[in-house]
Every structure is written in C-alpha cells, then in structure tokens.
Amino acid sequence: MAGKIGVIGAGTMGNGIAHVFARAEFDVVLYEVNREALDRGLATIRTNLDREAAKGKVDPSDVEKIYKRITPALEIEALKNCSLVVEAASEKLAVKQEIFRKLDALLAPEAVLASNTSSISITKLAAGTQRPDRVIGMHFFNPVPVMALVEVVRGLQTSDATLETVRELALATGKTPVEVNDAAGFVSNRVLMPLLNEAMFAVMEGVATPEAIDEIFRLGMAHKMGPLALADFIGLDVCLDIMRVLQDGLGDPKYRPCPLLLRMVDAGWLGRKSGKGFYEYSEK
C-alpha cells in the first residue's frame, strides 16, 4: 500500500503500532489530542528502539532513521493523506464511532479505516461510515513490538480487497495475521477475558490468593503470566470494558463482570498503570 500510515492514540497500543510500522519502513503520522501523552508515547518508542538495538534486533545505525519516520501530530487533519489509519483510542464504542466519523470525512475515499479494538463490533463501526467495505479490525497485542499476532477482524461489510490489504500490511511489519469474523470479543478476548474474570471470582470468594492462582497457571498450565498479573498488565478498566461488551453482545450471564473487578475500578485500582491492582507496583 502506497502512502502514509496513520495511528490515532499514542498510548501503550498506539505507540507500539507506530513503532512497528516505522520499523517496517513505512512513514507514520502519530496523532494524539494531548501534548503530554504524545511526548510520552514518542519517548516510549525511542526507549524501545534503543532496547531493540541493544539486543541486536535493530541495527543501531537505523534507530534514528526509524524514529524520524514518525511524524507527531496534535491535529487530526495531519492524517489527511494517509492510505490507512489504525485507531487505538479507548475501548468505548461512542469514542470510536466519533473518530471514524471524522476520518471518513477527512480521508480519501479509497483509504482504509482500521480499529485496534479488542472487542467492539467492526460491523457497527463500519455502518457509521460512507465506506463500510473499507473498515476492518486490526487487533495488535501488547507489547506490540514483541507480540507476533494480529487478529484481523472482518466486519459483515468488509471487502476481500480490504482484507487482503491489511493482511499484507501485517505481514510487512513481521506479524502473523489471523482472520476472524466479527463477534463480541472476537476470538482472543471471548476466550481470554472469562478466564481472567473467573480468576477474580476465585479471589473474591476466598478460594485462593492472587499469588496462588497465578502460580497455578504458571506452573501447572505453562502460562508465562498468571491471569491476575495479566489483568493488571492489560488494565482492569480495559478488562471491565471488554467484559461489558461480551455481556451486552452475547447476552449470556456467564460474561457478568466480577463484582470485585467493578469495585477495584471504582477505587482507581487499575493495575500496573495506576500502581495498584491485584498487586502493587513501585513504578506505574
């Protein structure tokens, strides 16, 4: 695909997505509404590139070149000439719909609109645009520069050409695209989040401590990270948002968010990013 790649959001996912596209020799526009968040995202990209260079995964002489392929922007109009934009904003349908409405009016008719959503309906997002055949899910995994998978989510209206474009882009960044159809939570979070949610119920009901639950999964199931440590890593607010999407989209009571999860989010205990979740962290 010719042209620039746009990324909306310079947070954990957005800066990682910008990183991997720039590393794959694409010119990238990284848009964020907040200057502090944009600067923080750019600093994270530079730190991660330096780390990759130290580990021999990137030629040290290429670090500056890769970094300079990313153009920071505080105005959405900077995305105007992008051939594809990946939205990596908060996991809220209304927020994403508003972003897609603006992009639809701004970008050329042939441009592709992709969402990094981990649970929200691509079909719904597409229906609010004038280009539903060119809307698709491109779900990267955290940490984006490291994780190999891109869950490519096809909405009801997504064309074969759009699917192939995104599949080729994912391959160009060194990722492995896996196609799934649009359904609440797709495959990854439809299976993962109920596991994390059930681990939270086990804590709430006094079955075991978070440490014991995570150790069982690390040692008994060969998981690299236990479910509660993983929930803290993802962000407990994000976990709650996804569980609500599953509950609303699938209508099954088994997707009811754990009451302990609701209380922790209400308390501002969001996991690593807040310094406290099921565990305490010295650095946010």
Side-chain angles (χ1 to χ4, degrees):
M1 171 182 277
K4 295 180 179 180
I5 302 296
V7 179
I8 291 186
T12 300
M13 299 305 297
N15 70 61
I17 294 166
H19 177 144
V20 298
F21 274 117
R23 193 175 62 189
E25 301 185 3
F26 290 94
D27 290 327
V28 179
V29 179
L30 179 59
Y31 164 70
E32 176 59 75
V33 296
N34 179 279
R35 165 63 72 181
E36 183 180 351
L38 181 58
D39 290 345
R40 189 164 55 245
L42 291 168
T44 297
I45 293 169
R46 187 55 189 253
T47 297
N48 288 339
L49 283 170
D50 288 339
R51 184 179 294 118
E52 287 178 332
K55 293 180 178 180
K57 295 180 179 180
V58 169
D59 189 323
S61 65
D62 287 339
V63 168
E64 188 66 21
K65 189 191 311 181
I66 294 169
Y67 184 73
K68 286 186 175 179
R69 289 192 189 113
I70 301 170
T71 301
L74 290 168
E75 302 293 335
I76 199 167
E77 287 74 19
L79 301 168
K80 184 176 181 179
N81 296 321
C82 292
S83 300
L84 176 141
V85 175
V86 182
E87 167 273 316
S90 62
E91 197 69 357
K92 305 283 187 184
L93 176 61
V95 171
K96 293 182 186 296
Q97 286 176 320
E98 177 63 13
I99 290 170
F100 271 57
R101 184 190 65 75
K102 290 179 179 178
L103 291 175
D104 192 35
L106 178 67
L107 301 181
E110 65 273 14
V112 172
L113 306 182
S115 178
N116 183 59
T117 179
S118 56
S119 63
I120 290 171
S121 171
I122 299 302
T123 300
K124 279 186 181 179
L125 291 175
T129 74
Q130 299 300 310
R131 64 184 84 206
D133 61 315
R134 302 188 72 79
V135 176
I136 196 166
M138 200 172 187
H139 180 204
F140 291 83
F141 288 75
N142 187 30
V144 180
V146 176
M147 301 295 280
L149 176 65
V150 174
E151 192 176 30
V152 179
V153 186
R154 184 172 193 162
L156 188 63
Q157 316 94 314
T158 306
S159 69
D160 290 342
T162 299
L163 180 71
E164 184 59 20
T165 293
V166 167
R167 191 188 74 83
E168 290 178 358
L169 276 173
L171 290 170
T173 64
K175 304 300 184 186
T176 300
V178 177
E179 179 187 348
V180 304
N181 290 319
D182 191 23
F186 317 133
V187 170
S188 56
N189 281 318
R190 182 171 179 168
V191 175
L192 174 64
M193 283 299 160
L195 167 64
L196 273 54
N197 196 54
E198 194 63 28
M200 296 172 195
F201 270 108
V203 173
M204 185 182 75
E205 295 168 6
V207 177
T209 64
E211 293 82 0
I213 292 168
D214 282 350
E215 189 170 20
I216 286 167
F217 276 84
R218 288 197 308 270
L219 301 182
M221 286 78 168
H223 289 203
K224 290 185 178 179
M225 186 181 293
L228 298 167
L230 179 56
D232 275 357
F233 183 69
I234 293 168
L236 300 186
D237 53 337
V238 176
C239 293
L240 178 56
D241 286 341
I242 296 171
M243 287 305 302
R244 284 173 167 159
V245 168
L246 292 172
Q247 185 180 34
D248 292 344
L250 299 172
D252 193 314
K254 71 182 180 182
Y255 297 110
R256 176 175 69 98
C258 176
L260 176 59
L261 173 61
L262 273 71
R263 292 200 299 272
M264 292 177 73
V265 171
D266 285 345
W269 297 356
L270 307 181
R272 282 183 177 271
K273 61 187 173 185
S274 70
K276 183 176 177 61
F278 285 96
Y279 299 94
E280 294 191 4
Y281 304 90
S282 57
E283 295 183 5
K284 296 181 183 180

